[in-house]
Amino acid sequence: MQQTPQYVRDIPYPHHFQREVTPVWMTSVATALGFNGPDITQAYSWCELGCGQGLTALVTAAANPQGRFTAIDFNPQHIAHGRALASAADLSNLHFVEADFLTLATQAQELQPEYDFIVLNGVYSWISGAERVVIHRFIQQRLKPGGLLYLGYMCQPGMAFLAGLRSLLRVHTEHISGPITQRVHKALSLLERMAEAKAGFFVEHPQAVEYLRRARQHDPAYLVHELLNPHWDSLPVAQVMAELEADAGCYYVGSATPLENIDALSIPGNLLPLMESLNTTAERESFKDLARNQSERRDLYQKGRHPLDIERHRSRLCDQVITALPGAPSQGSLRFETRIGPLEGTADLFGPILKALAEGPQSFADLLRIPALQHQGDLINAAVQMLFWAGIAHPLLPGSVSIENCQRLNRVLCERSLSTEHYGYLAAAALGSGVEADDLYMTAVRVLQDYRNMTGSLLRETVQAVRRSHQKTLTDQDSQRLGMFEDEVRAAWQRMGVL
Ligand SMILES: C[S@@+](CC[C@H](N)C(=O)[O-])C[C@H]1O[C@@H](n2cnc3c(N)ncnc32)[C@H](O)[C@@H]1O
């Protein structure tokens, strides 16, 4: 008997961009870890399973002219939204497919025979075991040898508590009236009152109390998807690894969150000696999840095993060019806020790298030549990955870039952000990725798209007039932030092909 997917359909998932699924990010992390990923300076193909309304696919396609992008989801509203934007921005390298995973195999004509990248973010934990099996088969059949898989999912042990909350939440929302977004809030109120009254579950699981505290800050549509789906599992990493190896021929490369690949910085120091006796990747990653009480994993896998030898590893690293992002410090030490507490990035290591990046983009080979850092390739590699993770720097897209595609998409995103939508990201041609842009910055970019040289009070007044015509205000704080935009962001975004 054919099963039907049971995932929430009546309310669209909020717009979201995930930098870790871009080809430039995935290959950069794979290279840093010594794996031979696809060559993104040549034509390649990329596929997202469960693309939501398509923002990640749209931004990534606009910023990567070498790629052919396929974005799949079974929600007709999601696909209609993605197609409307792709058409408005005239993106010819992105194809949206309306299909559910269970019957995807029957839609072969809509797909490419094989992909260099397959990505799933926020999908794998919310579907049934049968759907996961179908996805394994898809990856087995359609990910090229050497291709990279990104898998972002809720994991054990840090998210296990959510099962305890979801059960009452789901059953209670079925028995109260009103639109689903209101019902989820009403059901959360009941749980909040239980937590205040020290119900046993909340006493045993303080994380659940913290989760409830933060839940209110989320878009209600997000909460409906997160909490009310019939299927939800927090998965143990060892099980995911074993299934991907056996069913899809994929092997663990590392985390797409670079910090998590650096044990000395992401595991409490007193636990590190205990990890030394563990030899298999599954044991080590399970140990790390316990050590960090990990709740979510964003992992990279590769079809087959394709390590780089020492020479090729070094030459791939040296080819990489790194740019500072707006607001990056130009010297000194850094403080990184991590899951296991604050960490200091020492001035000895980070100071010279920041100074060099403040002068302009640097290749990894340039960084190796900095006198204070000579012969410290491994440390520079780790430091650069930390800068990427912290949003201080980003790899530049190798090969050709398309400023026109990004500018067309950004115009559409900015215009729609003035009315009803909240996108929060713009495409950056030089990065092959997106940059975060709030509502105010979106308005400023929209104005600058028509008046490229406008500055100062004239820019501020025009932004104010545009916002007013869309029933939006410009507060004193916004005016100050526009000043910051002009000082720190605008020129960088022009160089990166955002505007
Ligand atoms: C939580 S959202 C994540 C969206 C997007 N990947 C992101 O990170 O923002 C999960 C998405 O998977 C889609 N989905 C769930 N089950 C599906 C199925 N069986 N077939 C196709 N799409 C499915 C949903 O419609 C939804 O858009």
Side-chain angles (χ1 to χ4, degrees), residues 5-9 13-18 48-53 56 72-75 78 99-102 120-123 126-127 131 225-226 229:
Q6 294 179 312
Y7 190 95
V8 171
R9 269 188 216 234
Y13 191 66
H15 303 298
H16 176 69
F17 172 77
Q18 192 71 37
E48 180 172 18
L49 296 175
C51 62
Q53 297 201 63
T56 297
I72 301 168
D73 203 288
F74 75 160
N75 184 326
H78 288 177
D100 80 63
F101 305 142
L102 291 167
L120 294 92
N121 187 62
V123 173
W126 285 266
I127 53 178
E131 285 168 308
H225 283 251
E226 165 112 341
N229 256 315

Side-chain angles (χ1 to χ4, degrees), residues 128-435:
S128 65
E131 285 168 308
R132 282 197 282 273
V133 168
V134 172
I135 285 175
H136 297 160
R137 202 174 309 136
F138 183 88
I139 297 166
Q140 165 67 30
Q141 289 167 351
R142 295 200 186 253
L143 185 61
K144 288 183 191 169
L148 292 175
L149 166 71
Y150 165 96
L151 195 64
Y153 63 97
M154 295 302 180
C155 68
Q156 290 196 8
M159 250 318 172
F161 74 87
L162 196 63
L165 293 189
R166 274 176 39 94
S167 158
L168 175 55
L169 261 170
R170 287 195 57 230
V171 67
H172 188 44
T173 47
E174 281 169 20
H175 293 96
I176 41 184
S177 55
I180 188 86
T181 45
Q182 280 175 18
R183 282 190 276 147
V184 73
H185 268 192
K186 280 189 195 162
L188 280 170
S189 304
L190 171 66
L191 293 181
E192 282 163 356
R193 290 202 301 277
M194 289 180 75
E196 277 162 28
K198 305 266 179 276
F201 177 77
F202 294 100
V203 174
E204 289 281 325
H205 299 90
Q207 268 175 299
V209 182
E210 180 57 19
Y211 181 89
L212 286 180
R213 197 183 61 71
R214 290 205 194 152
R216 295 280 177 185
Q217 293 157 16
H218 288 299
D219 184 327
Y222 168 87
L223 294 173
V224 170
H225 283 251
E226 165 112 341
L227 297 170
L228 301 187
N229 256 315
H231 296 294
W232 185 83
D233 277 312
S234 66
L235 300 162
V237 64
Q239 177 192 321
V240 175
M241 280 179 182
E243 288 176 358
L244 285 173
E245 183 177 331
D247 303 345
C250 288
Y251 296 88
Y252 183 72
V253 165
S255 172
T257 304
L259 166 73
E260 290 171 4
N261 298 319
I262 307 171
D263 296 344
L265 302 183
S266 61
I267 308 286
N270 58 336
L271 292 175
L272 281 172
L274 291 177
M275 206 168 77
E276 274 166 21
S277 63
L278 305 178
N279 294 321
T280 65
T281 312
E283 286 170 284
R284 293 173 72 83
E285 292 304 311
S286 305
F287 180 98
K288 290 182 195 179
D289 283 351
L290 270 178
R292 305 176 185 132
N293 196 24
Q294 190 89 8
S295 51
E296 190 176 359
R297 290 192 66 105
R298 299 195 174 115
D299 288 340
L300 293 181
Y301 288 82
Q302 187 163 39
K303 184 71 155 292
R305 294 186 196 273
H306 301 267
L308 290 163
D309 62 35
I310 292 174
E311 270 317 300
R312 283 173 75 212
H313 186 205
R314 191 182 154 87
S315 88
R316 287 281 173 84
L317 279 175
C318 284
D319 286 347
Q320 182 162 250
V321 182
I322 298 133
T323 185
L325 291 178
S330 57
Q331 58 178 359
S333 62
L334 292 170
R335 185 183 155 98
F336 299 109
E337 297 301 332
T338 78
R339 206 173 161 83
I340 62 164
L343 285 175
E344 196 204 345
T346 61
D348 287 355
L349 174 60
F350 283 94
I353 299 177
L354 292 172
K355 186 162 173 279
L357 291 176
E359 283 158 20
Q362 307 286 326
S363 70
F364 194 89
D366 294 333
L367 298 180
L368 284 177
R369 283 192 285 271
I370 296 176
L373 299 179
Q374 269 177 8
H375 310 301
Q376 301 197 51
D378 287 349
L379 266 184
I380 299 176
N381 189 12
V384 166
Q385 290 291 308
M386 287 295 283
L387 294 177
F388 291 167
W389 167 73
I392 293 171
H394 197 277
L396 282 184
L397 181 67
S400 50
V401 299
S402 175
I403 295 179
E404 298 75 22
N405 283 355
C406 290
Q407 289 183 341
R408 280 200 310 275
L409 177 67
N410 290 346
R411 180 178 282 269
V412 176
L413 294 176
C414 289
E415 258 161 26
R416 286 186 165 225
S417 294
L418 277 168
S419 42
T420 49
E421 304 287 352
H422 174 71
Y423 292 109
Y425 279 86
L426 293 169
L431 305 184
S433 184
V435 288

